């Protein structure tokens, strides 16, 4: 990766099922310059369209073992559904903000 961001430790996110938008928030990440991890970044958000993000995946790491966190998603106790987060690294185009 010539220039990009490696985001880790995601702690929340949302997806708009009607519009296809998404937003993911990560506690930690790194700036990538010329294939090397540089500055540590905190409070990152990744936004974009789910289908664009998925269609722009150009690489998937071969990490065999990774952590999966279990959680719940919903707007109220009647809407909650089980969800999970975790997995291998993906390389895709996205808009990243810090703040």
């Amino acid at each position: 990766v010539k220039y990009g961001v490696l985001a880790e430790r995601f702690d929340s996110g949302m997806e708009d099922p009607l519009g296809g938008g998404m937003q993911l928030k990560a506690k930690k990440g790194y700036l990538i310059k010329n294939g090397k991890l540089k500055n540590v970044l905190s409070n990152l958000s990744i936004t974009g369209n789910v289908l664009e993000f998925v269609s722009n995946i150009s690489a998937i790491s071969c990490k065999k073992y990774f952590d999966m966190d279990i959680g719940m998603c919903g707007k109220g106790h009647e809407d909650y559904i089980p969800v999970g987060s975790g997995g291998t690294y993906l390389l895709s185009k996205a808009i990243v903000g810090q703040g």
Side-chain angles (χ1 to χ4, degrees), residues 57-73:
I57 293 174
S58 58
I60 301 172
S61 74
C62 60
K63 188 175 182 182
K64 292 183 180 180
Y65 303 103
F66 48 81
D67 294 329
M68 289 293 289
D69 294 324
I70 298 171
M72 298 297 280
C73 182

Side-chain angles (χ1 to χ4, degrees), residues 8-88:
E8 295 186 321
R9 300 187 60 208
F10 287 94
D11 66 353
S12 66
M14 75 88 184
E15 186 269 332
D16 172 14
L18 295 177
M22 68 172 189
Q23 182 172 7
L24 306 168
K25 294 187 179 185
K27 293 181 181 180
K28 183 179 176 182
Y30 300 92
L31 183 64
I32 302 171
K33 287 186 180 178
N34 297 318
K36 298 195 186 306
L37 298 179
K38 296 293 184 177
N39 308 37
V40 174
L41 305 172
S42 61
N43 296 321
L44 302 171
S45 62
I46 297 174
T47 63
N49 179 280
V50 173
L51 294 178
E52 285 180 27
F53 181 82
V54 171
S55 67
N56 279 305
I57 293 174
S58 58
I60 301 172
S61 74
C62 60
K63 188 175 182 182
K64 292 183 180 180
Y65 303 103
F66 48 81
D67 294 329
M68 289 293 289
D69 294 324
I70 298 171
M72 298 297 280
C73 182
K75 300 291 185 219
H77 70 279
E78 295 175 3
D79 293 345
Y80 283 140
I81 59 170
V83 296
S85 65
T88 190

